[in-house]
Amino acid sequence: MPLIHILDDQTANQIAAGEVVERPVNAVKELVENSIDAGSRSIEVEIAEGGLAYIRISDDGCGMEKEDLSLSVERHATSKISTADNIYHIASLGFRGEALASIASVSRMKITARIQGSETAQWISVEGSHITDRGETGAPQGTTVEIRDLFYNVPARKKFLKSERTESGRINTMLGKLAMANPGIAFRLINNGRTVIETPGNGRLLDVLSALYGIDTAGEMLPVSGEEVQMDGFISKPSLLKSSRQYQTFIVNRRVVDNPLISKAMDNAYHSLLPKNGYPVAVLHLRVPPETIDVNVHPQKREIKFSDEQEIFRAVYHSVLRTLTTQSEPEEVAASMIRVPGHDEGNSMGTFLSGKAGDPVLP
């Protein structure tokens, strides 16, 4: 009797879900990115009990046809690419066709969608990868995905989750970063019936920062622009510090990424202006040719690879340093540093004011 056998679809989907949907925030991220790819101008997210009991994502995007609605929950079904070569020219956030199938395999899901010009919306119910019901209803243009009882059929997964407050906080942070990456989209997050995030969607990143972090923080931000690489965003004055990198958001071609390379360039640019236990607030959006990055290196698409890391490192370093040295008055920065606990005034301002810092080299 052969020992090797092919896994059934549901088992394969649940294994894939273990990589794509590790916790509720991953499900929300994948679905919101689908809404962004659909051309939405408004996206509303509602969660209950940290996303385990209920998640709803509603958008005003292009919606789906009846046939596409059924195909959307199949593995590797996508409208984003058609060949492997397309991955290296990808402009959308999603492309693998795994998200909906993975989420549907570990939840009870309902999808309602209506395209422009259609008199009614179509809906399907999915449980454990299987479509259990379908029909027509009245709904506005766009797509609404509702998820109930996440991980109901994989109870072991719940043991590795944190408290409801922690899981909700992860969703809050993630959605805020997506809002900064897409200031032209109005985002709203409702947590247990209370609105906790609401951005205007007017295209102004500074207004998004104000909505997320408050007017005082937004007023302490300095605009950044790139010369070597197309780049824009904001960085905080050295006097505005946080205890972790949570308030640093790096975006590449509208994709929020975790990138040690950009973080290191930021650190080097601020150099000795910062104490050892502080991190500046930053939102940097880089725009590079799609063929110069590889986005297919992480199951959750959080990481990317640059074809020329030195170029990106130097571009971020010089853009941030240029902003600090030209838009901050030296006397103001010096005064701010004196007020920052743990800051060593010994040689920091000498280096900063001299402007003699050389080109950085990657370790």
Side-chain angles (χ1 to χ4, degrees), residues 41-56:
R41 303 294 296 176
S42 176
I43 300 173
E44 183 173 275
V45 178
E46 183 176 3
I47 62 172
E49 297 180 20
L52 279 176
Y54 184 71
I55 297 172
R56 173 181 61 83

Side-chain angles (χ1 to χ4, degrees), residues 81-338:
I81 64 172
S82 55
T83 67
D85 185 61
N86 295 154
I87 295 175
Y88 301 101
H89 306 277
I90 195 75
S92 61
L93 299 177
F95 55 87
R96 294 193 187 118
E98 289 183 328
L100 278 175
S102 296
I103 298 168
S105 71
V106 292
S107 70
R108 297 181 173 94
M109 175 188 288
K110 181 178 181 180
I111 308 175
T112 305
R114 177 183 173 186
I115 62 170
Q116 185 176 8
S118 176
E119 294 183 357
T120 59
Q122 305 292 323
W123 62 268
I124 59 171
S125 292
V126 189
E127 185 170 332
S129 297
H130 302 294
I131 296 177
T132 58
D133 201 1
R134 66 179 73 231
E136 293 185 356
T137 188
Q141 178 184 324
T143 303
T144 293
V145 180
E146 295 176 279
I147 299 168
R148 289 178 168 83
D149 304 324
L150 187 62
F151 304 136
Y152 79 96
N153 53 355
V154 279
R157 181 70 51 81
K158 295 183 180 181
K159 297 178 182 179
F160 296 93
L161 299 179
K162 303 298 183 182
S163 66
E164 175 184 335
R165 180 177 179 179
T166 299
E167 297 301 334
S168 296
R170 292 177 188 270
I171 294 171
N172 192 320
T173 298
M174 177 277 305
L175 197 67
K177 290 180 179 292
L178 287 176
M180 287 185 276
N182 300 272
I185 300 176
F187 287 86
R188 189 179 187 213
L189 172 62
I190 304 168
N191 182 8
N192 290 330
R194 185 171 66 92
T195 298
V196 293
I197 287 180
E198 193 158 18
T199 65
N202 60 5
R204 286 173 46 86
L205 177 56
L206 198 59
D207 288 348
V208 178
L209 287 171
S210 179
L212 296 174
Y213 299 151
I215 296 175
D216 290 344
T217 295
E220 292 293 307
M221 304 298 286
L222 303 171
V224 179
S225 61
E227 295 180 359
E228 300 87 348
V229 170
Q230 188 178 354
M231 183 190 322
D232 56 60
F234 291 90
I235 60 172
S236 67
K237 297 175 183 178
S239 55
L240 177 60
L241 302 178
K242 299 295 182 180
S243 59
S244 73
R245 293 192 189 276
Q246 179 178 325
Y247 292 87
Q248 294 183 355
T249 301
F250 304 128
I251 306 153
V252 179
N253 295 357
R254 297 188 310 125
R255 186 185 303 278
V256 177
V257 298
D258 296 332
N259 193 274
L261 179 82
I262 301 177
S263 297
K264 182 64 175 175
M266 280 274 302
D267 292 345
N268 282 20
Y270 276 85
H271 194 49
S272 52
L273 288 174
L274 300 178
K276 294 180 180 180
N277 60 345
Y279 300 92
V281 180
V283 183
L284 295 181
H285 194 162
L286 284 69
R287 294 172 178 83
V288 300
E291 60 270 17
T292 65
I293 58 175
D294 186 354
V295 300
N296 193 31
V297 296
H298 190 277
Q300 296 162 8
K301 304 186 287 288
R302 286 201 311 256
E303 301 171 6
I304 63 173
K305 286 186 177 181
F306 295 100
S307 60
D308 189 342
E309 292 190 335
Q310 280 284 356
E311 179 189 27
I312 298 299
F313 187 88
R314 286 193 298 266
V316 173
Y317 171 82
H318 285 300
S319 296
V320 172
L321 184 62
R322 188 163 49 244
T323 295
L324 291 172
T325 55
T326 60
Q327 298 193 33
S328 297
E329 291 295 332
E331 295 81 1
E332 178 187 344
V333 174
S336 298
M337 287 302 95
I338 292 173

